[in-house]
Amino acid sequence: MKIRLYCLSGHPTLPCNVLKFKSTTIMLDCGLDMTSTLNFLPLPLVQSPRLSNLPGWSLKDGSVFLDKELKECSGHVFVDSVPEFCLPETELIDLSTVDVILISNYHCMMALPYITEHTGFTGTVYATEPTVQIGRLLMEELVNFIERVPKAQSASLWKNKDVQRLLPSPLKDAVEVTTWRRCYTMQEVNSALSKIQLVGYSQKIELFGAVQVTPLSSGYALGSSNWIIQSHYEKVSYVSGSSLLTTHPQPMDQASLKNSDVLLLTGLTQIPTANPDGMVGEFCSNLALTVRNGGNVLVPCYPSGVIYDLLECLYQYIDSAGLSSIPFYFISPVANSSLEFSQIFAEWLCHNKQSKVYLPEPPFPHAELIQTNKLKHYPSIHGDFSNDFRQPCVVFTGHPSLRCGDVVHFMELWGKSSLNTVIFTEPDFSYLEALAPYQPLAMKCVYCPIDTRLNFIQVSKLLKEVQPLHVVCPEQYTQPPPAQSHRMDLMIDCQPPAMSYRRAEVLALPFKRRYEKIEIMPELADSLVPMEIKPGISLATVSAVLHTKDNKHILQPPPRPTQPTSSKKRKRVSEDVPDCKVLKPLLSGSIPVEQFVQTLEKHGFSDIKVEDTAKGHIVLLQEAETLIQLEEDSTHIICDNDETLRVRLRDLVLKFLQKF
Amino acid sequence: PRCTFWTLVPAADGHQEWDSNSRLARSRGVAFSYLAVGGKDRRTSVLIMDPECSRLLPALCAVLADPRQPVADDTCLEKLLDWFKTVTETESSLQLLQDHPCLVELLSHVLKPQDVSPRVLSFALRLAGAFAAQEDCFQYLQQGDLLLGLFGEAGALGWSAWSIPSVRSGWIQGLCALAHHPSALHFLADSGAVDTVFSLQGDPSLFVASAASQLLVYILALSMQGRDAGSPIPEVAAWPVCAQKIVSHVQESLHSTAAPQVTQALNVLTTTFGRCRSPWMEVLWGQLSPLVASLLKRDPIPAAHSLVDLLLSVARSPVLSSAACGPWEILAQTLHRLSPTQAGPLALGTLKLQRCPQELRTQAFGILLQPLACILKATAQAPGPPGLLDGTAGGSMTVDTLLSSKSACVGLLCQTLAHLEELQTLPQCPSPWPQEPLLDAAVIILRLCDGSADPSSSGAGRLCGTLAGCIRVQRAALDFLGTLSQGMSPQESMLQVFAILLKNLESPESSPTVLKKAFQATLRWLQSSVKTSGCSDLSPDALLFLGELFPVLQKRLCSPCWEVRDSALEFLTHLSQHWGGQADFREELQSSEVPMLACQLLQDPESYVRASAVAATGQLFSRGLQATPTSSENLQAQQGLLMDLMYILSTDSEGFPRRAVLQVFTQWLRDGHADVARDTEWFVTTVLQAVSRDLDWEVRVQGLELVQVFLTQTLGRFRPRCPYAVTLPEATSPTPHPEFLRTLCRLPLFEFVFRALFDCDRPVAQKACDLLLFLRDETAPSSGPQETRDGPNSASVEVALQRWQEGEQGQPLGDLEPEAMLALLRSLDLEGLQGKLAKSSDHIEKSPQSLLQDMLATVGMLEENEADCY
C-alpha cells in the first residue's frame, strides 16, 4: 500500500500538506501565505493624504476602468482594497475527509479558520499550548489590524483573467488570484481554536489505533514542534521550522527523529546566507547609531518570537551603548498578552530560562525593562501612547508586511526624515516590496533578517545524524536560490537525492507498507511448540482465528471442536468461527538425490536413472514406469494408477524430510 | 659527613643563613627580609651539597627503598634527579657515591624490585645512568655488577614492573645518560641492550618509543666517535660492530612494508643527520639514500611526514648538502611525488635553505603556488606571469585536493597561505615575487569566502560552496593579504584590496576574529599606501577609502559584541598614532562621530573595552582630535577627559582600564600635554594618591614609571645640560638643585616610592629600588653612609620604614626635609636589596635542602614530626 502526500502550499516555510497513511488522513500544518498582501495599498490608521491622492492606474491604451481599483505609486501598481491572502489549495483533496490537523508552530496555523470553518472539516486539531495561545494572539492582531480600518471597497475586476494579463508585474504573475480571500473574523478564529486539543512534547496520541503521532520540541519558537507519525513498521518524521541555535525555546529533539523511513523537511531558514548573530549585531549597531544622531528607529515585527530575543539582546546592550534614556515602545493590540504569556510558559523554555523560574525570577529580562520604564507597551497609537510618546525612540510594531497595523502610521510619520531608520528583522516579506508604496522615502532602511531556523549546513549535519531512508522537501530546497545559482552549498545534499514537491502536487512516498503487527493471545502462545529447523531458527504452526477491530489485529485460540449437536448450524452462525480441520504436518528439508537412490535400491527398486533438470532432478524408475520429480519446493511422484507403489515411494520421500 | 667537596660557604657575617631564612620565608612567604643599615655585602652563595643535605640523604634513601612508605610524588623525584644531575655536572660522581654509601645501597636495593614502587625503580635507573656518565664512576658501579643488574637482561627487563611505561622510559633514559664514554659502549654491546632498544622503538608508549630512537642515535654517534680525524672513513661494512648493527637495523626497517617501522628508521636518521656534522654521515647517507629513494616508488608513500623531515635535515646538513650523493635529486623527486598537502612543508623548507640549486627552488616555489594558481584558474582570473602555472603536471592533484572535501580544501589553502606569508618575510624569499597574481588570489579567496565571487566554472562553484563563510580561510587570507602589503602593488590592485577589506570590515557576517584580522590588514595597507605615494601623507586612494572606513568604524564601535568594539578601538588608536598629525586624516575623522563614540565607550560594561577606550581617547586627546562639541554636554565631556580618566583610575573595579589610564597619563606627562603641564605637581599628586591605594601591582609599577618620568623631567628643568657644553660630564656638580629636592619633598612622592619598596609584589619593589638608586645617584652619589645619620627627622622616618618592612603599613611617613631624605637615601642598602630582589621569591623553597626536607616530611621522618606522632 502506498503512502501519499498531497501538497497544498508552495511556500516552503508556510507549509500545508496532507498525508494519507494507513486509512488516516492527516493535515500537516496550515500556513497562510500573506505575501499576497504586498500587492495591496497599506491601510492607514490615520487618514493619509498621500495615499488617498495616489493616481489611478490606466491601461496602455488609455482605458481607465481599473483606476478605482488600482493605484500607482513610484512606478508600482497596487490594489486599493482590503488586503487578501493566498489560501492553501482546496481543490486537490476533499478537506472534509481530513481526520486530524497537526500544527508545528504558531506561524504555521494562520490558515486554520479557513480550513476548519469552510470545508466541512470535522476532525481534531493538535497543537501545544503556547502554539495555540500565541497563534491566537497573531490571529487576533491580524483581525484587529484589518477590521479597525474598515474599507468599503473590495476590488475584484482586476482578478479577471483577461484583465490580469494586461497588468504590470508582479500583479500579472500573481497565482490563483481568484482564490485569494479576505481575512477571517474573530468569531471564526474562536471557533477554529475551539477544535484544538492541547498536547505536550513526547506525548503519544493514538489515531484510530492505526497510527501514533508524537510532537517533539523543534527549538524554533515557544511550543514549536516537529511530529512523528508512526505505525508499528513505518515511521514518517515531519520537520517544520526547527532551530539548533540557543535562543529562548527548549532545544530541538533530534534523537527521536532517527530511523525514519521518510523525513518530510520544511521550514528552513529563508535567508541561508545570513547568520542570526551577525544580524543581531547589525541590528544593535544601526539602532544605536540612529538614536545617537537623534533619529527614531522603527522595527516592523510580529508580536511574538524574535522580538523576545531582540529585547533580551537590547537589555544587555543599551547600557553599554549609552542608550539607557531612550524609550522603547512595543505597540500591538496583543503586546501586553504576548509579553506576559512569554513569562508563564516556563516548561516550554530552554533550560537556562526554566531555572530562573525557581529563583524566582521572570525568565525573560523584558520584565525588568518594563519595570524600569525602559520598555512601554500599548495596544495602539491611540490613547495613552500619544501622551507618553517621546523622541528619539525605538518602536516595535506590526505588521511586518507594512500593509496594515500601526507600522503604517509610523512609516508615514517618519519616512520623510533621513535621521530615522526602519530596521527589518522578520524574514517573511521582501523589504523592497514592503517599502514600495512608501516611495520616495528619505528614512534609512536596514535589512537584518533574523531567521533562526535550520540552514543547509545544519540540515546536512542533521540528516547525517538521523539518517532517514528518504527525504521529501519543497522543490525550492533542491536547487540553489535563483539569485545565487552558483551556491551549490545552499541546497539539500543527501543520498538518495531528496524527493521534491510543489504546490498542488500529489506524491507517492517512496516506500511500501509490507508488514502489519498481529498480537497473539497469551493462551494461544502457550500452546505453541517451536521446533528448531535450523540452528537459531525455530518454527511452530499456529491455528487461530484472526480478530480485527479498530485497526488492531489479534490471533485468538480457535474454538474447541464442538460435539455435533442439533443446533450446530445456528451456533456456527452466532459465533462466526470457521470450522477447524484436522491438520496435516508441514514438511521441510531437502532430499539428497544419491542417498535417495541408494534407499530406493535398498527397497528393491532397480534400473534407476537420474536426470538433472533446471530446477532439480528427475528420478526415473524405468521398470516401474514411474517418475519422481524432485524440485526445490515440490516433489511429485508420477505413477500409473498404482496407489500402493505411490504410497511406498511417498513414505520413502518423507523419511528424508522433517515434519512438524 | 665530610665537607670537602660541598663546603658550606657561610654568609659574610658568619651565621648560617639557610636555616633562619628558610624558616622566615616559610612563615611569612616573603623572600627578602632586611633593610640593612650600613650597606654590608651579605650576599650568599649557592650551595650544591651542604652538610645538612648530606645528613638528610641516608634517611631519604631509606624512605625510597622502603616499600611501606608512601613514596613522594613524581615531581619531587624529578626535582631530586635534577639536583643530582647538577651535582654530578660540577662534581665527581665517584666521590659522591663514596661519601654517601646510602646511594649505592639504594641502587642495590632496587635490584630486588618486588619491594620497590615503579616510580622509584624508574628514578633509580635514571639516577644510576646519571652517575655512570662519568667513566670512573661507571667502573666503580660495574665492579659490583650493579649496572648489569639494573640494565642487563637479568635486570629491569625481567621485572614485572617492566610492563609499566615509566619504568621502560627510566631504563632508556638511564642508558641515554650513561652512553658517554667507550666503556659504556662496550657495556651496551655486551649487555644486549641494543636489541631491546630496537624493539622499544615500536613501544605503545610514544615517550618510550621516541626515547628509544634517541638512544640509538646516541649509541651510533658514540660508536663512531673519534673516527673522523685524518684517515678517510671506511665503508659501513668496516664500521664498529655496534654501529653496523644499528645501520643494518635501519636498513631493514626501511625495507619494511609497515609504515610505523619506516617512520622509526626515518626518525633515527633525521636526528642523526640533524645533530652531528661528522664526515662518516656522508658514508651513511651514501649507503642509505637509494633505500630512501625507493620509498618514493611505493604507493602510497609511507611515512611522508618523516620523509620530509629527513630530507630537510639532510639538505640542511653542511656535510651532506655538499656531498657527491647530495640530496637534491631525491628532493626533486619527492616534491614531485608527494600530495600537495604533504609537499607544502617540504617546498617551504627547501626554499628556506641557505644553499640550494636554483632549479629546485623554482620547482618548490611552483608547488607552493600551485593551490593559488588553481584557484585563479578555476575562477578564470588572469594566471599572471609565466612561471606561476608551470608544473601543471601536479596541478590535477592539487585541484583534486581542493575539491575533494571541505577539510582538505581548507587545510591546503590555510597551509599554503601561511607558508607564503612566512616566505615573504624571509631573506630567502624567491625573486621575482609574483606580487600581483598573489594579490589577486588572496582577494578572490576572500571573495569566495564571503560568497561574492562570481564563479564561471563548476569547479569554482564547488569552491564557493566549500569556502563560503569559512572563518579559518578568511583569517589566513587576511593575514596573507596584510603581509602582501610589503610588496609593490599597482594602483589597480590597491583599489581591489581596499574594496575587499572594506567588505570584510562592513559585513555583518564577519566574525570578531575575522574583523580583527581585517583591521590589522587594513592598517598595514594604509601604511604601505604611504610608502608608495612617496611622502608621509596618505595617498588619494587611501583617503577615499578612509571616507568609507569611518562610517564602518562607527558601526563597529556600536557593536553588541565586545570583542568587536575592542578591536575597533585598538584600530582607531593605531590610526591616530600614525596619521593623527595629517590634515586630511584629521578632517575625515573629525567629520565623523568616531571620537564621540570612543569617548562614550569609556563607560563600557566590559573592562577590556574600557581599557582600549582609555588608550584611544588618550591618543586622540593628545593629538587634539577629541570629540567635537555638538552640545553643552559634549563640551563638558571634552573638557573633562582628564577628570574622566582620573575617575576611572580611582574607581574602576578592573585592573585593565586603570593600567591603561596610567599609560596614557605617563605618555601625556612625557609629551608635555597642555592639560598636564598646566599644573604638573597637582597632576602627579592626584595620580599618586589614587595609585598608592591600588590593589593591582601593574598599576603600581606603572605609577612608579610615571614618577620616573616626572623625576627626569624635573631634574632636567633644574639642571639644564647643554649637549654642546665644553665641560666633561664628571665635572658637573652632583649636588642637586635645592628647589628640585624641595619639589620632591612637597609631593607624596617619597611616601609612595618607599611604600612600593616594601611592596609584597616583587616587580613593584624592584622598580622602586631602581628608582631610588637612580635618585640617590643623581642627588648624593659619593657620600658615605656614616655622615648621613644626623638629619633632623631621619630617625623617625627610619622607624616608620622599619615598621613598614615588618608589615605595618598604616603609619604615615611624616613630613620629610630634603636633608633627611638625602640621609635616608644614603643609609639604605639599596644595592643589597636590589640583589635580593633579583632572585625569584621562591629561591629558598627551591633549595635542595628544602626539597629533601619536604620529601621526608611527607613520610613523617623528620624529628620534629616524629615527636608529634603520638
Side-chain angles (χ1 to χ4, degrees):
Chain A
M1 187 194 277
K2 289 235 169 185
I3 298 177
R4 289 189 190 279
L5 186 74
Y6 297 76
C7 310
L8 309 187
S9 158
H11 198 300
T13 36
L14 297 167
C16 183
N17 296 306
V18 172
L19 184 71
K20 281 209 168 203
F21 180 36
K22 271 192 89 174
S23 75
T24 57
T25 306
I26 304 170
M27 179 180 272
L28 304 168
D29 280 330
C30 43
L32 182 63
D33 186 352
M34 290 195 259
T35 49
S36 56
T37 59
L38 293 173
N39 296 298
F40 293 77
L41 272 189
L43 295 177
L45 265 184
V46 179
Q47 172 70 19
S48 159
R50 187 187 71 84
L51 286 173
S52 45
N53 292 334
L54 287 176
W57 182 78
S58 52
L59 285 168
K60 272 188 196 139
D61 61 7
S63 50
V64 291
F65 68 99
L66 280 168
D67 70 341
K68 288 272 181 307
E69 290 197 355
L70 301 181
K71 302 282 178 190
E72 194 170 349
C73 176
S74 301
H76 288 85
V77 176
F78 298 95
V79 182
D80 187 11
S81 166
V82 185
E84 292 177 345
F85 307 119
C86 178
L87 269 52
E89 203 66 43
T90 47
E91 305 298 317
L92 196 62
I93 183 171
D94 180 1
L95 293 177
S96 68
T97 62
V98 170
D99 298 313
V100 292
I101 302 178
L102 308 180
I103 304 291
S104 52
N105 62 65
Y106 45 75
H107 287 298
C108 292
M109 61 184 281
M110 296 297 279
L112 195 62
Y114 294 116
I115 308 284
T116 58
E117 306 311 302
H118 300 288
T119 61
F121 172 80
T122 53
T124 315
V125 184
Y126 290 101
T128 63
E129 191 180 358
T131 303
V132 178
Q133 298 299 355
I134 298 174
R136 178 195 296 276
L137 295 183
L138 290 182
M139 290 180 182
E140 202 179 313
E141 189 194 55
L142 189 66
V143 172
N144 188 307
F145 280 163
I146 289 181
E147 284 185 353
R148 74 182 172 182
V149 191
K151 197 147 186 160
Q153 188 178 349
S154 185
S156 55
L157 268 179
W158 70 276
K159 292 186 182 176
N160 184 310
K161 262 188 190 158
D162 295 330
V163 178
Q164 198 196 353
R165 263 190 305 121
L166 306 170
L167 301 181
S169 282
L171 279 177
K172 186 172 68 177
D173 311 317
V175 288
E176 310 206 25
V177 288
T178 46
T179 65
W180 289 11
R181 290 286 172 272
R182 301 174 65 153
C183 189
Y184 31 71
T185 64
M186 217 40 225
Q187 197 183 2
E188 287 167 323
V189 169
N190 288 331
S191 166
L193 296 182
S194 69
K195 299 185 169 73
I196 298 183
Q197 195 165 324
L198 299 183
V199 290
Y201 288 148
S202 303
Q203 183 183 334
K204 293 181 167 56
I205 302 136
E206 287 280 338
L207 301 184
F208 318 113
V211 292
Q212 198 181 54
V213 295
T214 312
L216 305 171
S217 174
S218 78
Y220 166 56
L222 272 179
S224 68
S225 340
N226 292 323
W227 289 86
I228 304 243
I229 301 129
Q230 61 187 341
S231 64
H232 293 297
Y233 293 100
E234 298 87 15
K235 178 169 173 180
V236 177
S237 295
Y238 173 53
V239 171
S240 161
S242 301
S243 175
L244 292 170
L245 299 180
T246 321
T247 55
H248 57 270
Q250 246 191 52
M252 177 179 176
D253 178 356
Q254 294 182 65
S256 309
L257 298 174
K258 282 185 184 171
N259 306 319
S260 304
D261 296 291
V262 169
L263 187 129
L264 178 54
L265 187 60
T266 67
L268 303 186
T269 176
Q270 302 189 67
I271 320 288
T273 51
N275 158 23
D277 278 341
M279 287 302 152
V280 169
E282 196 72 0
F283 171 80
C284 290
S285 311
N286 282 298
L287 185 144
L289 273 178
T290 305
V291 174
R292 279 188 178 141
N293 275 328
N296 301 294
V297 177
L298 179 62
V299 188
C301 62
Y302 292 115
S304 178
V306 173
I307 188 173
Y308 303 141
D309 296 320
L310 285 180
L311 288 175
E312 179 153 5
C313 187
L314 285 172
Y315 168 79
Q316 292 159 1
Y317 175 68
I318 49 177
D319 288 331
S320 74
L323 300 178
S324 324
S325 59
I326 301 297
F328 287 74
Y329 300 119
F330 176 20
I331 303 170
S332 159
V334 297
N336 187 30
S337 321
S338 164
L339 292 173
E340 284 181 0
F341 271 142
S342 64
Q343 306 283 23
I344 57 166
F345 290 126
E347 57 172 304
W348 305 90
L349 292 171
C350 62
H351 177 74
N352 242 352
K353 295 216 177 301
Q354 271 191 27
S355 50
K356 283 198 171 181
V357 179
Y358 300 102
L359 290 177
E361 266 177 35
F364 285 94
H366 55 237
E368 198 184 317
L369 288 176
I370 295 170
Q371 257 173 15
T372 52
N373 263 338
K374 285 175 184 164
L375 173 67
K376 295 182 183 180
H377 54 86
Y378 304 90
S380 95
I381 52 169
H382 301 299
D384 287 346
F385 174 72
S386 43
N387 302 329
D388 297 349
F389 183 47
R390 232 169 4 99
Q391 301 191 75
C393 64
V394 180
V395 170
F396 294 87
T397 187
H399 187 271
S401 65
L402 304 192
R403 292 300 179 271
C404 57
D406 303 87
V407 74
V408 177
H409 175 71
F410 286 101
M411 285 303 296
E412 292 286 319
L413 185 70
W414 289 343
K416 297 171 206 82
S417 165
S418 63
L419 280 180
N420 303 324
T421 306
V422 53
I423 309 182
F424 291 88
T425 56
E426 299 289 355
D428 287 355
F429 301 93
S430 145
Y431 79 106
L432 289 175
E433 284 183 47
L435 288 171
Y438 299 93
Q439 299 298 349
L441 197 67
M443 87 195 286
K444 282 195 285 283
C445 302
V446 178
Y447 184 53
C448 314
I450 297 169
D451 196 333
T452 58
R453 285 172 282 204
L454 297 176
N455 63 30
F456 289 98
I457 298 171
Q458 291 164 336
V459 164
S460 102
K461 278 186 189 156
L462 176 76
L463 292 181
K464 269 187 199 141
E465 175 82 21
V466 305
Q467 302 221 324
L469 290 183
H470 301 280
V471 175
V472 178
C473 65
E475 62 174 345
Q476 289 92 333
Y477 297 159
T478 56
Q479 60 220 21
Q484 289 155 305
S485 54
H486 61 281
R487 292 290 297 270
M488 303 304 283
D489 54 325
L490 302 184
M491 56 183 271
I492 291 179
D493 181 21
C494 62
Q495 277 310 322
M499 193 175 183
S500 70
Y501 70 79
R502 60 172 77 177
R503 188 179 166 109
E505 208 167 46
V506 182
L507 294 189
L509 293 190
F511 72 102
K512 276 188 180 169
R513 293 187 49 235
R514 291 176 189 280
Y515 299 104
E516 190 57 272
K517 185 175 172 175
I518 298 176
E519 279 180 31
I520 300 183
M521 296 291 280
E523 53 267 42
L524 178 64
D526 269 352
S527 69
L528 300 182
V529 186
M531 257 179 62
E532 191 168 47
I533 55 151
K534 270 186 196 170
I537 296 179
S538 300
L539 289 181
T541 50
V542 187
S543 303
V545 175
L546 180 66
H547 185 87
T548 297
K549 189 181 174 187
D550 289 345
N551 291 310
K552 294 226 183 301
H553 313 289
I554 300 170
L555 280 182
Q556 293 175 339
R560 297 217 173 103
T562 43
Q563 297 300 321
T565 56
S566 56
S567 61
K568 183 180 168 189
K569 212 171 184 177
R570 211 165 11 122
K571 197 172 184 184
R572 188 184 291 173
V573 171
S574 68
E575 283 196 354
D576 196 19
V577 170
D579 206 0
C580 223
K581 287 174 188 159
V582 177
L583 291 166
K584 284 186 182 168
L586 296 174
L587 303 174
S588 69
S590 59
I591 299 162
V593 182
E594 283 180 19
Q595 289 177 29
F596 181 59
V597 171
Q598 284 167 12
T599 313
L600 288 175
E601 283 169 346
K602 249 189 229 169
H603 284 81
F605 295 96
S606 55
D607 204 7
I608 304 169
K609 259 192 173 177
V610 178
E611 281 175 25
D612 289 349
T613 65
K615 289 180 178 174
H617 309 276
I618 294 176
V619 179
L620 196 64
L621 307 178
Q622 288 180 333
E623 208 177 305
E625 288 183 13
T626 300
L627 274 178
I628 306 171
Q629 248 178 15
L630 301 173
E631 287 178 1
E632 200 183 348
D633 47 5
S634 65
T635 303
H636 294 283
I637 299 167
I638 303 164
C639 57
D640 220 9
N641 278 331
D642 187 348
E643 182 61 12
T644 353
L645 176 64
R646 191 193 71 82
V647 171
R648 263 184 74 203
L649 287 174
R650 182 200 70 187
D651 291 343
L652 288 179
V653 168
L654 286 179
K655 274 187 184 169
F656 287 92
L657 296 175
Q658 288 174 311
K659 292 177 260 313
F660 63 97
Chain B
R2 283 174 50 187
C3 296
T4 330
F5 292 99
W6 307 284
T7 352
L8 168 77
V9 181
D13 63 356
H15 75 269
Q16 291 182 13
E17 279 230 320
W18 286 114
D19 261 341
S20 56
N21 265 2
S22 62
R23 295 271 152 76
L24 185 78
R26 279 172 192 204
S27 61
R28 290 192 43 202
V30 185
F32 64 93
S33 65
Y34 64 101
L35 171 74
V37 178
K40 282 185 194 167
D41 183 11
R42 293 177 34 152
R43 283 180 205 168
T44 52
S45 59
V46 176
L47 301 175
I48 289 177
M49 178 64 94
D50 59 56
E52 182 60 19
C53 288
S54 291
R55 191 179 69 75
L56 294 170
L57 215 44
L60 183 75
C61 288
V63 167
L64 291 178
D66 187 352
R68 287 163 305 164
Q69 296 287 1
V71 181
D73 63 278
D74 282 342
T75 30
C76 280
L77 290 174
E78 290 299 328
K79 282 183 194 165
L80 196 61
L81 195 72
D82 283 347
W83 174 55
F84 275 117
K85 278 183 188 161
T86 338
V87 173
T88 54
E89 267 166 23
T90 48
E91 313 291 345
S92 156
S93 304
L94 181 60
Q95 191 68 55
L96 179 67
L97 290 190
Q98 284 170 346
D99 289 340
H100 299 90
C102 60
L103 289 172
V104 180
E105 278 165 28
L106 174 66
L107 295 181
S108 318
H109 182 81
V110 169
L111 292 177
K112 297 171 277 178
Q114 64 279 12
D115 288 349
V116 188
S117 78
R119 55 170 64 144
V120 174
L121 278 180
S122 172
F123 167 77
L125 287 164
R126 288 182 293 164
L127 187 65
F131 289 144
Q134 293 176 10
E135 200 158 4
D136 54 350
C137 190
F138 175 85
Q139 308 289 6
Y140 174 76
L141 291 171
Q142 263 298 67
Q143 282 166 21
D145 273 348
L146 194 61
L147 288 179
L148 210 56
L150 284 170
F151 295 103
E153 275 172 2
L157 299 178
W159 302 340
S160 58
W162 182 251
S163 61
I164 296 161
S166 66
V167 174
R168 298 198 297 276
S169 168
W171 184 82
I172 295 178
Q173 286 177 22
L175 287 180
C176 272
L178 71 76
H180 276 99
H181 40 77
S183 311
L185 193 62
H186 293 302
F187 171 75
L188 286 166
D190 298 343
S191 65
V194 178
D195 290 316
T196 313
V197 180
F198 289 158
S199 67
L200 285 178
Q201 276 189 294
D203 200 273
S205 156
L206 285 179
F207 292 104
V208 175
S210 136
S213 293
Q214 201 74 32
L215 180 55
L216 284 184
V217 175
Y218 275 175
I219 300 173
L220 182 61
L222 182 65
S223 52
M224 294 304 290
Q225 219 169 35
R227 286 175 195 268
D228 302 345
S231 56
I233 307 294
E235 285 304 302
V236 175
W239 284 13
V241 182
C242 205
Q244 277 191 46
K245 197 168 175 181
I246 294 175
V247 172
S248 62
H249 170 71
V250 168
Q251 277 175 326
E252 268 170 42
S253 304
L254 285 176
H255 277 301
S256 163
T257 49
Q261 288 209 29
V262 179
T263 311
Q264 289 159 17
L266 292 174
N267 287 349
V268 168
L269 291 178
T270 307
T271 325
T272 306
F273 294 137
R275 69 189 289 273
C276 51
R277 303 179 163 193
S278 313
W280 57 266
M281 290 197 314
E282 196 183 327
V283 178
L284 182 64
W285 174 243
Q287 170 127 359
L288 294 182
S289 59
L291 274 180
V292 174
S294 72
L295 292 178
L296 294 175
K297 296 194 183 107
R298 300 199 208 163
D299 192 25
I301 298 170
H305 286 293
S306 304
L307 182 62
V308 166
D309 289 345
L310 172 66
L311 292 177
L312 287 176
S313 166
V314 170
R316 284 188 204 114
S317 157
V319 180
L320 298 177
S321 60
S322 56
C325 53
W328 310 127
E329 198 184 324
I330 189 170
L331 253 174
Q333 281 172 19
T334 315
L335 279 173
H336 179 70
R337 277 282 283 122
L338 288 180
S339 75
T341 322
Q342 292 165 334
L346 184 61
L348 178 69
T350 308
L351 287 166
K352 279 159 86 176
L353 292 172
Q354 298 292 346
R355 293 182 317 125
C356 168
Q358 185 53 41
E359 207 174 312
L360 191 62
R361 284 175 62 82
T362 312
Q363 187 192 357
F365 194 40
I367 281 179
L368 271 194
L369 294 175
Q370 198 101 62
L372 300 191
C374 287
I375 297 265
L376 286 177
K377 201 173 167 189
T379 49
Q381 304 288 309
L388 187 62
L389 280 178
D390 281 359
T392 36
S396 66
M397 210 159 40
T398 309
V399 172
D400 288 347
T401 310
L402 285 173
L403 297 182
S404 65
S405 74
K406 179 162 180 159
S407 60
C409 176
V410 169
L412 180 59
L413 276 183
C414 288
Q415 175 184 291
T416 305
L417 292 169
H419 284 166
L420 287 170
E421 191 190 336
E422 188 184 342
L423 199 60
Q424 203 196 353
T425 52
L426 294 176
Q428 298 96 313
C429 171
S431 174
W433 177 257
Q435 172 81 1
E436 267 183 76
L438 287 180
L439 259 184
D440 287 345
V443 169
I444 196 74
I445 288 175
L446 284 170
R447 290 181 55 201
L448 286 168
C449 289
D450 67 21
S452 68
D454 186 19
S456 45
S457 65
S458 68
R462 286 273 294 280
L463 277 174
C464 202
T466 311
L467 294 178
C470 179
I471 293 174
R472 256 184 79 198
V473 174
Q474 270 178 314
R475 283 195 302 233
L478 282 167
D479 270 342
F480 180 55
L481 191 66
T483 316
L484 282 176
S485 68
Q486 293 173 347
M488 292 296 283
S489 317
Q491 194 195 10
E492 219 171 282
S493 302
M494 299 262 284
L495 290 176
Q496 209 186 0
V497 169
F498 281 138
I500 193 73
L501 284 173
L502 197 66
K503 186 132 200 299
N504 272 274
L505 291 173
E506 198 263 343
S507 164
E509 297 300 309
S510 296
S511 80
T513 50
V514 168
L515 262 182
K516 197 174 170 88
K517 298 274 183 201
F519 277 131
Q520 286 167 349
T522 306
L523 209 57
R524 297 180 78 169
W525 274 95
L526 282 174
Q527 280 168 321
S528 93
S529 100
V530 169
K531 202 168 56 195
T532 46
S533 68
C535 56
S536 65
D537 286 341
L538 286 162
S539 67
D541 293 334
L543 275 174
L544 272 179
F545 171 66
L546 274 186
E548 292 179 83
L549 179 68
F550 283 124
V552 173
L553 195 58
Q554 252 163 249
K555 195 177 82 178
R556 292 303 180 188
L557 287 173
C558 293
S559 167
C561 173
W562 72 263
E563 290 94 336
V564 173
R565 299 198 295 274
D566 195 49
S567 338
L569 282 167
E570 278 177 9
F571 177 67
L572 174 64
T573 312
H574 289 302
L575 274 187
S576 41
Q577 224 164 22
H578 282 104
W579 296 285
Q582 285 182 31
D584 291 333
F585 174 84
R586 296 172 68 90
E587 201 178 314
E588 283 288 354
L589 179 68
Q590 281 181 309
S591 65
S592 76
E593 292 159 47
V594 168
M596 189 258 289
L597 290 170
C599 240
Q600 282 181 353
L601 290 176
L602 288 174
Q603 276 124 42
D604 200 276
E606 184 59 48
S607 67
Y608 296 111
V609 179
R610 289 201 298 280
S612 298
V614 166
T617 49
Q619 182 66 37
L620 290 175
F621 200 56
S622 62
R623 295 284 190 156
L625 284 166
Q626 57 271 36
T628 37
T630 50
S631 65
S632 59
E633 197 185 331
N634 274 348
L635 184 65
Q636 201 182 356
Q638 181 208 340
Q639 286 169 339
L641 183 63
L642 179 64
M643 297 315 294
D644 282 349
L645 296 191
M646 283 286 190
Y647 182 74
I648 291 178
L649 180 62
S650 48
T651 58
D652 203 302
S653 57
E654 300 281 338
F656 302 106
R658 303 200 306 269
R659 289 178 207 167
V661 168
L662 267 185
Q663 268 157 8
V664 167
F665 280 171
T666 313
Q667 192 57 43
W668 283 1
L669 186 64
R670 213 174 261 143
D671 297 347
H673 193 274
D675 277 24
V676 173
R678 204 174 298 132
D679 189 350
T680 314
E681 285 187 23
W682 170 84
F683 171 74
V684 172
T685 307
T686 320
V687 171
L688 291 189
Q689 270 164 0
V691 173
S692 59
R693 291 189 303 268
D694 207 294
L695 295 175
D696 186 319
W697 68 266
E698 285 194 47
V699 174
R700 298 197 297 276
V701 167
Q702 195 63 46
L704 289 164
E705 177 70 30
L706 184 127
V707 169
Q708 178 140 32
V709 171
F710 175 71
L711 284 180
T712 319
Q713 281 185 349
T714 321
L715 207 59
R717 208 167 56 241
F718 289 113
R719 192 200 294 162
R721 278 186 182 151
C722 172
Y724 306 110
V726 193
T727 47
L728 292 167
E730 308 89 83
T732 52
S733 158
T735 47
H737 197 287
E739 182 51 32
F740 168 66
L741 293 173
R742 271 196 293 280
T743 309
L744 298 194
C745 292
R746 207 162 46 231
L747 302 180
L749 194 140
F750 274 104
E751 176 144 356
F752 176 69
V753 180
F754 278 126
R755 276 185 198 276
L757 191 63
F758 303 114
D759 202 289
C760 54
D761 287 300
R762 203 158 56 95
V764 182
Q766 267 180 312
K767 178 98 190 165
C769 192
D770 292 347
L771 195 64
L772 286 172
L773 274 168
F774 164 78
L775 199 58
R776 196 192 66 189
D777 293 347
E778 286 293 332
T779 53
S782 56
S783 335
Q786 288 77 13
E787 56 183 290
T788 61
R789 318 200 85 208
D790 48 359
N793 58 357
S794 66
S796 72
V797 172
E798 262 178 36
V799 170
L801 290 186
Q802 205 73 45
R803 288 242 175 117
W804 288 5
Q805 183 198 350
E806 285 157 15
E808 289 177 43
Q809 298 247 333
Q811 186 186 354
L813 198 58
D815 286 340
L816 259 185
E817 292 301 321
E819 293 75 21
M821 189 268 288
L822 285 178
L824 196 63
L825 274 182
R826 287 185 211 116
S827 70
L828 291 173
D829 175 22
L830 292 171
E831 280 89 355
L833 198 55
Q834 198 179 30
K836 280 250 158 192
L837 289 167
K839 289 179 193 160
S840 79
S841 55
D842 62 346
H843 70 280
I844 289 164
E845 272 82 356
K846 271 188 180 165
S847 74
Q849 184 194 340
S850 161
L851 174 65
L852 298 184
Q853 279 171 342
D854 284 348
M855 290 179 76
L856 288 172
T858 53
V859 291
M861 288 292 284
L862 280 184
E863 285 161 25
E864 57 258 49
N865 290 346
E866 274 172 359
D868 289 334
C869 272
Y870 54 89

